[in-house]
Amino acid sequence: MTSYSAMHNKILDGQRVADAVLSSIKKEIESLRQRKPCLAVVLVGDDPASAIYVKRKTKACLETGFESIQKIFPATVSEEELTEYLLSLNASSNVDGILVQLPLPAHLNQRKITSLISPDKDVDGFHPVNLGKLVTEDSSGYVPCTPLGVKELLEASSVDLAGKHAVIVGRSTIVGKPLSLLLLQKQKGMNATVTCVHSYTHDLPLIVKQADLVVAAIGRAEFIRGEWIKEGAVVIDVGINRVEDASAKKGYRIVGDVEFEGALQRASLITKVPGGVGPMTIAMLLKNTYKSYKSKGIHV
Amino acid sequence: MTSYSAMHNKILDGQRVADAVLSSIKKEIESLRQRKPCLAVVLVGDDPASAIYVKRKTKACLETGFESIQKIFPATVSEEELTEYLLSLNASSNVDGILVQLPLPAHLNQRKITSLISPDKDVDGFHPVNLGKLVTEDSSGYVPCTPLGVKELLEASSVDLAGKHAVIVGRSTIVGKPLSLLLLQKQKGMNATVTCVHSYTHDLPLIVKQADLVVAAIGRAEFIRGEWIKEGAVVIDVGINRVEDASAKKGYRIVGDVEFEGALQRASLITKVPGGVGPMTIAMLLKNTYKSYKSKGIHV
């Protein structure tokens, strides 16, 4: 039986790493005599989960010393009105980063709206130009925040993936595919062998069992079983799922895509949910915004 | 011992499929009363291999009824002059596709030059916008020709990859990475589990042995051994390598990245080199050019 403290040492603490990233940016910003970096967050409709995410992002901006624009449109906003607003943000020399909180209401074409954001302000990294730069390993682009957060969390823990087998569970445009591209890159700490598995995959447990790194990003509560984890593997859980829990105050609790207790027994390093990848995602959003700010030739 | 005819039936004949693709396009073009599709090929310097590729592409254009522009610059051409020429091709309403034959001389920045080509004429599919559209599964983009050729060859042979394990050997921007993205797509025939392995990969044979589909694209003669191939797997060989052969007329012969005779014993389907992926790559270049032509609203 592993002791409590050994277990504790296994935790990849995303909150701590994210705090360190943000406090380092904050320190740099405090010494600025010019305008502060500015992130504009656009929310359409009143989805409660989206509202929470937007609030967290805005809060992180303010705490880090960024300017923040928060714009809320009703769910019925027309494509024209939203477009016009986004173009005005593109044109503003005081705005460094723009993000449209997803998902959008059904009448709006998510791909079209996302592509309106100028690539050099697309701090979410969802514009085709930025995703393409991830393929060509052009570091001038913006990498989507969750994959970038996973990378920085691994780096902060001195995990070197060179030649190791990374299994990414999920093939979304937001996490699975860009993370696959990132871990494949010819960069220090990366150079992983990458397998991307998903709902069609045959023998998924067999593949996960071979992984030196497992990243779970499918949005299915505790889908990855502890016994699938290879002894000593690193486990990153991107999932955030509500499960009913009568014993909890709110009637539910938040769990990841990995069965945590089981995986903890076998992993060498593992993230918790919450407190793992979530805070890293927000820190990377600010890091990308700060990168955009600096790229404008503002000397810091 | 498998009979000769059973062996013969295992061959994925890229030349035959490519010919069928081109003759179908040719038939459509013959009935056009308007200008023909036009591909501009730009060659810098006098690398003999590049010159052969350009010649093949131009020949395919003429045989299929396309217009073809071939422009050769000396190896010493300035970035400014090359840029100016590419911009003039972008602006020309008579040019549907533009490709710059790679590699470029060292003084030219390949990434910068490639990005100059207008994405809607980038029939090689190397512009970040087109690679990004491959990530987002936006079918308005152009998929690089070799990966697209692999996909069409599999389709022509009724190979359905859904849930199957595809192992791609090589992580280049031209083949490995875009092919990984393509085979992962939520499209009929695709939906593969994809592993991308490369020079850093530990236990490469062990991973290849699990593959239902092996695609070799590393440029190392007969690197993939026949005994690594799983019984019944499909094998696609993208490699084109010269090996010395005193018995051959020219003193060398062309082999792929796969040890063909050994792999043939175990594979259910396999490409030859030459006559496999090579002709498909050229056919897809013309297919992409024709797609660009049609997208301009020219009714065919």
Side-chain angles (χ1 to χ4, degrees):
Chain A
M1 189 72 192
T2 321
S3 70
Y4 170 77
S5 104
M7 287 293 177
H8 188 73
N9 289 336
K10 287 182 167 190
I11 302 297
L12 276 170
D13 187 343
Q15 189 65 62
R16 192 181 52 76
V17 177
D19 287 349
V21 168
L22 292 180
S23 89
S24 147
I25 295 176
K26 185 178 185 177
K27 204 172 287 175
E28 288 190 39
I29 287 178
E30 277 168 353
S31 65
L32 293 175
R33 296 183 157 237
Q34 304 151 73
R35 73 167 181 84
K36 308 298 180 188
C38 174
L39 173 67
V41 180
V42 179
L43 175 63
V44 179
D46 51 8
D47 176 64
S50 290
I52 290 173
Y53 290 133
V54 166
K55 212 168 145 183
R56 279 194 200 146
K57 290 166 185 175
T58 307
K59 187 164 163 268
C61 281
L62 300 179
E63 287 175 357
T64 312
F66 282 40
E67 297 286 334
S68 159
I69 295 171
Q70 204 186 110
K71 175 78 175 179
I72 302 172
F73 286 102
T76 53
V77 67
S78 70
E79 187 184 311
E80 291 67 32
E81 193 182 348
L82 184 56
T83 298
E84 198 182 321
Y85 183 68
L86 290 173
L87 297 182
S88 75
L89 292 176
N90 282 347
S92 165
S93 60
N94 290 323
V95 173
D96 304 292
I98 304 168
L99 86 82
V100 175
Q101 185 67 40
L102 303 178
L104 289 170
H107 73 283
L108 295 167
N109 180 333
Q110 203 153 293
R111 180 185 286 158
K112 196 170 167 191
I113 299 294
T114 308
S115 298
L116 286 172
I117 298 170
S118 170
D120 59 357
K121 296 188 179 187
D122 168 43
V123 289
D124 252 349
F126 298 153
H127 191 288
V129 164
N130 285 316
L131 291 167
K133 286 182 172 181
L134 193 51
V135 180
T136 64
E137 306 198 15
D138 180 341
S139 61
S140 73
Y142 295 96
V143 177
C145 301
T146 299
L148 189 58
V150 170
K151 183 192 171 193
E152 292 238 346
L153 193 52
L154 291 169
E155 278 175 357
S157 314
S158 305
V159 174
D160 184 356
L161 294 175
K164 301 285 182 63
H165 195 169
V167 173
I168 297 169
V169 187
R171 55 172 163 167
S172 70
T173 305
I174 295 173
V175 185
K177 285 195 274 186
L179 184 60
S180 298
L181 293 165
L182 198 57
L183 301 188
L184 266 179
Q185 287 193 342
K186 291 173 189 158
Q187 271 189 48
K188 199 169 167 295
M190 302 292 103
N191 290 299
T193 298
V194 176
T195 298
C196 188
V197 301
H198 46 81
S199 56
Y200 279 70
T201 297
H202 302 160
D203 280 334
L204 194 143
L206 189 73
I207 296 174
V208 171
K209 281 175 185 174
Q210 298 176 47
D212 301 305
L213 167 68
V214 180
V215 182
I218 35 168
R220 292 178 62 179
E222 301 178 326
F223 178 78
I224 307 291
R225 310 306 302 168
E227 66 264 27
W228 300 353
I229 305 300
K230 185 167 82 172
E231 197 69 41
V234 175
V235 177
I236 307 266
D237 193 345
V238 176
I240 300 174
N241 312 286
R242 275 189 189 192
V243 292
E244 285 185 35
D245 183 348
S247 73
K249 221 193 248 175
K250 296 178 178 172
Y252 66 85
R253 62 196 163 85
I254 300 295
V255 299
D257 291 348
V258 178
E259 183 222 344
F260 181 78
E261 291 302 332
L264 177 64
Q265 301 297 326
R266 306 169 73 97
S268 62
L269 288 169
I270 185 168
T271 58
K272 284 195 298 186
V273 176
V277 175
M280 289 303 296
T281 297
I282 292 181
M284 294 305 109
L285 177 64
L286 271 67
K287 189 168 176 170
N288 276 346
T289 304
Y290 189 45
K291 174 181 173 175
S292 165
Y293 176 80
K294 286 190 290 185
S295 76
K296 293 188 175 63
I298 300 173
H299 297 294
V300 291
Chain B
M1 188 73 193
T2 321
S3 70
Y4 170 78
S5 104
M7 287 294 177
H8 188 73
N9 289 337
K10 286 182 168 190
I11 302 297
L12 277 171
D13 188 342
Q15 189 66 61
R16 192 182 51 78
V17 178
D19 287 347
V21 169
L22 292 180
S23 90
S24 147
I25 294 176
K26 185 178 185 176
K27 203 172 286 174
E28 289 190 38
I29 288 177
E30 277 169 353
S31 64
L32 292 175
R33 296 184 160 237
Q34 303 151 75
R35 73 167 182 85
K36 308 297 180 188
C38 174
L39 173 66
V41 180
V42 179
L43 175 63
V44 180
D46 51 9
D47 176 65
S50 291
I52 290 172
Y53 290 133
V54 166
K55 212 169 146 183
R56 278 195 202 145
K57 289 166 186 175
T58 306
K59 185 163 165 267
C61 280
L62 300 179
E63 286 175 356
T64 312
F66 282 40
E67 296 286 334
S68 159
I69 296 171
Q70 204 186 110
K71 175 78 176 179
I72 303 173
F73 287 102
T76 53
V77 67
S78 69
E79 187 184 311
E80 291 65 34
E81 194 181 347
L82 184 56
T83 298
E84 197 182 320
Y85 183 68
L86 290 174
L87 296 182
S88 76
L89 292 176
N90 282 346
S92 166
S93 60
N94 290 324
V95 173
D96 305 291
I98 305 168
L99 88 81
V100 176
Q101 185 67 39
L102 302 180
L104 289 170
H107 73 283
L108 294 167
N109 181 333
Q110 204 154 292
R111 181 186 285 158
K112 196 169 167 190
I113 298 294
T114 308
S115 298
L116 285 172
I117 299 170
S118 170
D120 60 356
K121 296 188 178 185
D122 168 43
V123 289
D124 251 348
F126 298 153
H127 192 287
V129 164
N130 285 317
L131 291 167
K133 285 181 173 180
L134 193 52
V135 180
T136 64
E137 305 198 15
D138 179 341
S139 61
S140 73
Y142 295 97
V143 177
C145 301
T146 300
L148 189 59
V150 171
K151 183 191 171 193
E152 292 238 346
L153 193 53
L154 291 168
E155 278 175 358
S157 314
S158 305
V159 175
D160 184 356
L161 294 176
K164 301 286 181 64
H165 194 168
V167 172
I168 297 168
V169 187
R171 55 173 163 167
S172 70
T173 305
I174 294 172
V175 185
K177 286 195 275 187
L179 183 60
S180 298
L181 292 164
L182 198 57
L183 301 188
L184 266 178
Q185 287 193 342
K186 290 172 190 159
Q187 270 190 49
K188 199 169 167 296
M190 302 292 104
N191 290 299
T193 298
V194 175
T195 298
C196 187
V197 301
H198 46 80
S199 57
Y200 280 71
T201 298
H202 302 162
D203 279 333
L204 194 142
L206 189 73
I207 296 175
V208 171
K209 281 175 185 175
Q210 298 174 45
D212 302 304
L213 168 68
V214 180
V215 182
I218 35 168
R220 291 177 62 178
E222 300 177 329
F223 177 79
I224 307 291
R225 311 306 303 169
E227 66 263 28
W228 300 354
I229 304 300
K230 186 167 82 173
E231 197 68 43
V234 176
V235 177
I236 308 266
D237 193 345
V238 177
I240 301 175
N241 311 286
R242 274 190 190 193
V243 291
E244 285 186 34
D245 183 347
S247 73
K249 222 192 248 174
K250 296 177 178 172
Y252 66 86
R253 61 196 163 86
I254 300 293
V255 300
D257 291 347
V258 178
E259 182 222 345
F260 181 78
E261 292 301 332
L264 177 65
Q265 300 298 324
R266 306 169 73 97
S268 62
L269 288 169
I270 186 168
T271 58
K272 284 194 298 185
V273 176
V277 176
M280 289 302 296
T281 297
I282 292 181
M284 294 305 110
L285 177 64
L286 270 67
K287 189 168 177 170
N288 276 345
T289 304
Y290 190 45
K291 175 181 173 175
S292 165
Y293 176 81
K294 286 190 289 186
S295 75
K296 294 187 176 63
I298 300 172
H299 297 294
V300 292

